[in-house]
Amino acid sequence: MAVSEIPARPGNPPARPARAPRRARGEGQWALGHREPLNPNERIKKDDDPLNVRERIENIYAHRGFASIDPQDLRGRFRWWGLYTQRKAGIDGGRTAVLEPHELEDEYFMLRVRVDGGQLDLAQLRTIAEISREFARDTADITDRQNIQYHWIRVEDMPEIWRRLESVGLQTTEACGDCPRIVLGSPVAGVAEAELIDPTPAIDEIVRRYVGDKQYSNLPRKFKSSISWLVDTPYEANDIAFLGVDHPEHGPGFDLWVGGGLSTNPMLAQRLGVWVPLAEVPDVWAGVVGIFRDYGYRRLRNRARLKFLVADWGVAKFREVLEKEYLGRTLLDGPAPELPEKPIDHIGVHTQRDGRHYVGAAPVVGRVSGSQLAQLADVVEAHGSGRVRLTPYQKLLVLDVPAERTESLVTALRGIGLEARPSVWRRGTMACTGIEFCKLAIVETKARGEELVARLEERLADADLTDADISIHLNGCPNACARTQVADIGLKGQLVTGPDGRQVEGFQVHLGGGLGMAAGQTAGFGRKLRGLKTTAEELPEYVERLVRRYLAGRTAEETFANWVIRADEEELR
């Protein structure tokens, strides 16, 4: 007998009718008809495609100035053209989460320039340098997404900046925003001795077909891509990655990975187990983006990355939907990629397949300037080269150098502040933008990173660092733009209690993280010990103490990450 049919007992209230089952709340997935309600970000995109804002920038805002900019354009749609307002000077990290956006932002912009695959010719390099000196107060950072990032940009100057960039084949289209951002690529694509397929044509075709296409300009959140034959990009930290494999029957092609991303809920990309020939890479890429657009979670901003959908569906369902709904064909099963013996970063002098050489050099934590890049262009040209590449590790390469000119080039690069034979610390340290310019940051990172490198070079000059490749990544907030969770020493900026009991800049410490970049490496996020923090002032001393303990306690050829796994907790403090 149903509850509603049970007779009421004398003196008792009547039984309540049975409730209908509660309908599961939608996650904002378009393919399932969930288009309402919209969070503020989704409303902005629905009201007007963000790509349309360029016309307003050129025709209105560039003439009327910062004060004329509509707030929804300023803090929303501008990102689709690489523009973020930068942080107002003098606002400390303790106020980052307290102040409203208009209180944090200055009337200047950070601007990202897409350099898909990291490939620059001399005309492009000189144009980047020229814009930096004329419009960006000589700022130009190399990011870990192979972008060039300017600061101090005025909206009034954007039409001219776009004109100059586009005249040499560069763009800022979808350099930021909820859209397909820059496509990472191997900095030695097309010249590497070990490369069987140059994926550059696929990267170029993706950019040509899809960047700026309104079919893909409204995604749930940002979408990060990597396409490389070599294992020299952080492929497991991307929404989609294609990695070179040689199929025993079908020959060279690419292995497909989906669902990677770090930030506050880090997840590693997962293999779909398929083999994709070079010619099909753009179509498969578009299929994965289509799944994200249509099935991605739009209701909650903090669950709007592809990694959450992949985690919920699993790779089997993801592959099935990709094949049946977006490609209309079955993909071939494929082998897993073979990893190199050691991680590849391309620093130093290396031989190209044509007998010439490339030289990889390191600035300090990616910080360069327009003046330095102009000098670089002169040095590169004087040594018979016409091509420079940026890496996903805030470094740069000079290609096509005759063998007899390599030592001269190494010396010339050193003369302009770029080191082809850097210390372990300069080679392995990265830093995000930090509180100097970023509205989300809590602590300084670039200056701290430069200071840390200099102090470690001095303090550990006596140490035997043979085979001790240790990566240090500094981030100004929890968002992991510098990939803190996958560094040997990951430093997440936050306010900590100093010796005198006051709140000061500092870092939460993650230890022993890494990606699967070499044979025998296990990808993971390392150890995060309870209460393991350091003030920014004490950071060099902490890292020195930690490294000396590692060098004293490691077994033969034991990596830092493996030592961290077995080390006693007290040794890590």
Side-chain angles (χ1 to χ4, degrees), residues 76-92:
R77 302 182 188 99
F78 268 39
R79 292 177 292 155
W80 273 251
W81 291 96
L83 290 159
Y84 283 94
T85 49
Q86 69 185 39
R87 188 189 192 94
K88 190 178 295 182
I91 300 177
D92 63 67

Side-chain angles (χ1 to χ4, degrees), residues 272-488:
L272 251 62
V274 300
W275 177 86
V276 183
L278 178 64
E280 295 181 14
V281 167
D283 290 339
V284 173
W285 180 92
V288 173
V289 180
I291 291 177
F292 182 40
R293 176 195 61 206
D294 301 337
Y295 287 99
Y297 303 148
R298 294 174 183 264
R299 184 176 67 85
L300 297 177
R301 189 79 176 159
N302 62 3
R303 276 180 52 82
R305 291 293 299 275
L306 181 65
K307 61 188 178 184
F308 294 102
L309 181 66
V310 173
D312 289 347
W313 276 9
V315 292
K317 179 177 178 178
F318 194 96
R319 177 176 175 176
E320 179 183 11
V321 173
L322 175 64
E323 292 174 335
K324 291 183 177 179
E325 296 185 28
Y326 291 84
L327 298 177
R329 65 180 184 276
T330 300
L331 295 167
L332 293 171
D333 293 340
E338 294 185 12
L339 301 181
E341 291 185 8
K342 293 184 177 181
I344 305 168
D345 73 356
H346 302 300
I347 299 299
V349 179
H350 303 269
T351 305
Q352 296 179 181
R353 66 171 57 172
D354 62 4
R356 292 182 292 180
H357 293 72
Y358 67 86
V359 178
V364 181
V365 295
R367 176 133 289 178
V368 292
S369 67
S371 297
Q372 190 177 26
L373 294 177
Q375 292 175 308
L376 173 64
D378 291 340
V379 166
V380 169
E381 187 171 29
H383 285 80
S385 172
R387 297 194 289 173
V388 169
R389 300 276 176 89
L390 309 180
T391 85
Y393 300 93
Q394 299 180 338
K395 310 299 189 293
L396 60 86
L397 277 57
V398 180
L399 305 189
D400 308 328
V401 183
E404 65 275 13
R405 306 299 304 278
T406 56
E407 286 307 309
S408 171
L409 176 60
V410 168
T411 301
L413 291 172
R414 183 175 296 133
I416 62 171
L418 299 170
E419 185 54 67
R421 296 191 175 102
S423 67
V424 167
W425 315 115
R426 182 164 176 166
R427 185 172 190 159
T429 302
M430 298 199 311
C432 74
T433 300
I435 201 170
E436 182 181 9
F437 296 116
C438 180
K439 292 178 296 183
L440 301 178
I442 302 168
V443 304
E444 169 60 51
T445 53
K446 289 291 189 184
R448 294 290 184 191
E450 291 182 43
E451 178 190 13
L452 178 62
V453 168
R455 298 272 293 278
L456 292 177
E457 287 176 341
E458 178 184 351
R459 288 171 173 270
L460 291 166
D462 62 325
D464 179 8
L465 297 169
T466 306
D467 295 325
D469 294 329
I470 300 173
S471 58
I472 304 174
H473 296 183
L474 296 91
N475 218 82
C477 75
N479 288 323
C481 295
R483 302 196 291 270
T484 45
Q485 301 102 322
V486 291
D488 287 313

Side-chain angles (χ1 to χ4, degrees), residues 105-147:
E105 66 195 7
D106 208 339
E107 295 188 0
Y108 297 94
F109 293 89
M110 177 194 78
L111 175 66
R112 289 180 186 157
V113 180
R114 291 185 75 113
V115 188
D116 291 275
Q119 303 189 16
L120 292 171
D121 60 33
L122 281 185
Q124 292 170 329
L125 182 61
R126 291 190 189 281
T127 298
I128 287 171
E130 175 187 79
I131 290 171
S132 168
R133 292 188 292 183
E134 189 168 341
F135 301 110
R137 301 189 188 181
D138 211 26
T139 60
D141 290 340
I142 301 172
T143 77
D144 58 15
R145 295 296 304 175
Q146 295 179 305
N147 290 309

Side-chain angles (χ1 to χ4, degrees), residues 41 45 66 81 104 134 187 195 206 210 222 239 307 310 353 396 402 413 417 434 442 541 548:
N41 298 88
K45 291 182 286 184
F66 186 90
W81 291 96
L104 280 168
E134 189 168 341
E195 183 184 69
I206 286 169
Y210 304 117
K222 58 190 172 185
D239 295 280
K307 61 188 178 184
V310 173
R353 66 171 57 172
L396 60 86
L413 291 172
I442 302 168
E541 289 82 359
R548 288 194 183 279

Side-chain angles (χ1 to χ4, degrees), residues 178-239:
D178 300 348
C179 53
R181 300 192 182 183
I182 186 173
V183 181
L184 293 186
S186 170
V188 293
V191 303
E193 288 185 302
E195 183 184 69
L196 297 186
I197 297 179
D198 176 3
T200 302
I203 296 175
D204 291 344
E205 186 66 6
I206 286 169
V207 173
R208 185 189 69 80
R209 281 194 212 171
Y210 304 117
V211 172
D213 182 346
K214 291 184 179 180
Q215 288 189 79
Y216 301 97
S217 63
N218 181 356
L219 304 180
R221 282 200 76 175
K222 58 190 172 185
F223 187 84
K224 296 183 176 183
S225 309
S226 174
I227 305 174
S228 177
W229 176 267
L230 299 179
V231 186
D232 59 355
T233 69
Y235 64 99
E236 290 168 299
N238 283 263
D239 295 280

Side-chain angles (χ1 to χ4, degrees), residues 490-534:
L491 301 166
K492 182 176 75 175
Q494 59 182 225
L495 296 181
V496 303
T497 303
D500 61 359
R502 294 187 303 165
Q503 293 288 287
V504 297
E505 289 192 0
F507 299 91
Q508 183 181 54
V509 182
H510 300 246
L511 295 173
L515 300 175
M517 306 299 291
Q521 283 190 345
T522 301
F525 304 125
R527 294 179 69 175
K528 186 170 67 174
L529 304 182
R530 181 182 297 275
L532 181 52
K533 302 175 183 178
T534 175

